Amino acid sequence: MTAITGVGAYAPRFRISAEAFQEAWGQFQAAGISEKAVAAADEDALTMAFEAAGRALEAADVDAASVDWLAFASSRPPLAEEDLTARLGAMLEIDETATRHVFAGSTRAGTRALWAGVDALESNSTTGLVVAADAPQGDPDDGIDHAAGAGAAAFVLELEGPAEIVDRAEYATPYPGTRFRTTGEDETQGLGVTQYDRAAFTETIGGAVSGLETEPDVEAAAIQAPDGKLPYRAAGAAGVGTDEIQAAATVHELGDLGAASVPVSLASALADGFGSVLAVSHGSGAGADALVVESDGEVPAEMNLESDDTLSYAEYLRQRGVVTSGPPSGGGAYVSVPSWRRSIPQRYNLEAGRCPECGALSFPPEGACSSCGALSEYEPVQLSGEGTIEAVTTISQGGAPPEFAEQQARSGDYAAAIVALETEDGSESASIAAMGTDAAPDAFAVSDRIETTIRRIYTQEGVTRYGFKVRPAE
């Protein structure tokens, strides 16, 4: 039977409160939400997926190279037409031959991915990784946007483990117009017919739960949460009480996580030690999945959902890019997509090179050795992603190179540093220039410890370049 052997979850550090929306609009249209998580200017569903997936693999003590089935789910992938599992797999160092699937188009996508993962392991796969990440958006003066949060969850699936997926069922019936995003549009919309929306939600959730082989008797229930009240209205249809929903709920502090709503709540419930969890998604259209997970012990988990870094409403709009002036004229440094692709081992996986003549490390591993001048081919050396700041400065308005200016206008001042990234055994290091993220510039100082993560670097020719940045070590 398919089991969850490790979970990871991630939410961006920024938060905005219901009071901030109330002050800006005179009302807050997302019932039951006190604050929500906000993706930073250099974050999107792909970078959040990377954060959650790395934590799940670490929790499960599974080498990414052993993953032979990978799924990525989001109702708002950064690109409408590209297999983002190729980039995600490269970021995580999953083997190029692993089977990959993308699930999108619905807030139900996260549980669809879990469902497919169970099927894969029941056929011929041995280790699966399911990742759901989302950051919904709506029109600014709309309940969908007031509720819209950001976050990600990931699950390592194996044939045996501490948390087994013991039952599952699905249900679908047409309810057009409950929640949709038309082709070419950025904002999710809804007709706003309250009774119609509730009917779709409760019927599909009830239909999925009633399809389970046995009536669930669970300690926690992870129910799709478009706001902080609708999951509780579906308690009767799901056959659970409000206490069970409250036990798994993340919507009150993180907001509506779209396709990651149920996965993040499920991850949270397993991390909190609940022995039996019902997970029920809902996707507009309308359909639902119900899964029952039973645990006979502690499920390894690495969670990062807490933060107190609050934004004003104006700062929120700036992070989203609503109130910035756009890219400057004049271009900046041009790096072609083929050239960028050749540097992916360095930008994603921190691959340095050792000079075969003198043994010095170089990053990037190209050109003449800076120590001895030799032009021999470098020997690959993996850096660890941890190190120390050697020098640091702050890039302020007007100081960013043109290719970074649009992001700088959204994110504000950022740190630029020279860091000594260490080898896996910590015995050597290579000096590397890097952008800071996840903290204000004054949080970076010489001799401070840092770690790397992957974020958006900039977009050129319509193609977003992702690569490593550094942040204060946890």
Side-chain angles (χ1 to χ4, degrees):
M1 185 173 290
T2 301
I4 296 171
T5 59
V7 300
Y10 170 81
R13 67 186 177 101
F14 288 130
R15 299 289 191 272
I16 185 169
S17 67
E19 288 78 9
F21 273 85
Q22 179 76 33
E23 291 174 5
W25 289 103
Q27 58 179 334
F28 182 63
Q29 301 183 52
I33 295 176
S34 58
E35 65 177 12
K36 65 174 189 173
V38 179
D42 62 353
E43 291 187 291
D44 58 25
L46 183 58
T47 66
M48 291 189 293
F50 168 78
E51 293 274 7
R55 286 171 168 80
L57 290 168
E58 181 177 355
D61 195 22
V62 166
D63 188 339
S66 68
V67 173
D68 58 2
W69 194 91
L70 172 65
F72 170 65
S74 179
S75 73
R76 292 185 61 86
L79 291 169
E81 189 172 338
E82 181 179 312
D83 183 355
L84 290 169
T85 60
R87 297 207 211 193
L88 180 59
M91 292 173 181
L92 296 168
E93 298 186 76
I94 290 172
D95 192 273
E96 290 90 342
T97 63
T99 301
R100 301 156 193 253
H101 293 281
V102 174
F103 297 81
S106 168
T107 56
R108 187 185 173 193
T111 54
R112 288 282 81 198
L114 265 174
W115 189 290
V118 174
D119 288 342
L121 264 73
E122 289 180 352
S123 56
N124 58 8
S125 296
T126 58
T127 304
L129 177 61
V130 175
V131 195
D134 224 345
Q137 291 183 10
D139 292 323
D141 185 18
D142 184 84
I144 290 176
D145 193 69
H146 289 201
F155 304 88
V156 176
L157 303 180
E158 297 180 88
L159 294 174
E160 295 182 357
E164 293 185 340
I165 300 174
V166 298
D167 199 0
R168 52 184 174 143
E170 62 178 302
Y171 179 92
T173 188
Y175 272 93
T178 51
R179 179 173 174 145
F180 57 92
R181 182 161 57 91
T182 56
T183 300
E185 295 294 325
D186 289 332
E187 287 79 26
T188 297
Q189 305 172 52
L191 297 178
V193 183
T194 303
Q195 292 301 322
Y196 182 70
D197 292 346
R198 288 179 184 172
F201 192 80
T202 56
E203 180 182 342
T204 54
I205 283 178
V209 172
S210 66
L212 295 170
E213 291 186 3
T214 59
E215 185 175 341
D217 181 16
V218 297
E219 299 171 6
I223 308 291
Q224 189 78 40
D227 59 34
K229 283 194 173 180
L230 201 52
Y232 299 95
R233 293 184 181 276
V240 296
T242 57
D243 288 345
E244 288 78 16
I245 295 174
Q246 177 66 43
T250 58
V251 64
H252 308 299
E253 296 80 27
L254 299 179
D256 172 16
L257 303 184
S261 173
V262 172
V264 170
S265 291
L266 173 60
S268 181
L270 292 174
D272 287 342
F274 290 103
S276 56
V277 185
L278 172 67
V280 194
S281 67
H282 166 79
S284 58
D289 297 315
L291 302 99
V292 178
V293 181
E294 292 186 354
S295 171
D296 59 3
E298 183 176 337
V299 180
E302 292 286 342
M303 312 290 285
N304 185 0
L305 299 176
E306 305 286 332
S307 179
D308 56 3
D309 198 338
T310 58
L311 299 174
S312 67
Y313 188 73
E315 290 169 330
Y316 164 73
L317 293 180
R318 191 181 71 185
Q319 290 291 335
R320 280 188 51 179
V322 175
V323 295
T324 58
S325 57
S329 59
Y334 173 73
V335 179
S336 70
V337 172
S339 294
W340 186 275
R341 183 186 181 278
R342 286 193 293 272
S343 69
I344 280 177
Q346 291 82 54
R347 297 184 187 276
Y348 288 3
N349 309 132
L350 303 175
E351 183 181 287
R354 186 182 303 282
C355 175
E357 301 296 328
C358 70
L361 291 181
S362 292
F363 188 97
E366 58 187 30
C369 173
S370 59
S371 294
C372 71
L375 288 170
S376 302
E377 184 175 349
Y378 289 96
E379 300 168 357
V381 175
Q382 183 75 42
L383 301 178
S384 68
E386 298 180 352
T388 304
I389 297 175
E390 296 180 313
V392 64
T393 189
T394 297
I395 304 299
S396 300
Q397 185 72 34
E403 63 268 31
F404 303 126
E406 184 175 9
Q407 179 189 302
Q408 194 277 333
R410 293 173 58 182
S411 64
D413 296 354
Y414 65 87
I418 303 297
V419 298
L421 288 185
E422 300 158 354
T423 54
E424 295 285 357
D425 62 5
S427 64
E428 300 175 89
S429 65
S431 293
I432 300 169
M435 298 173 68
T437 191
D438 272 6
D442 59 11
F444 297 84
V446 172
S447 299
D448 282 356
R449 297 290 294 175
I450 51 84
E451 63 185 17
T452 61
T453 187
I454 291 180
R455 292 295 168 83
R456 298 169 68 102
I457 304 297
Y458 61 86
T459 299
Q460 205 168 59
E461 298 175 313
V463 179
T464 298
R465 274 75 158 163
Y466 295 87
F468 75 88
K469 293 185 179 181
V470 299
R471 63 187 176 196
E474 294 183 356

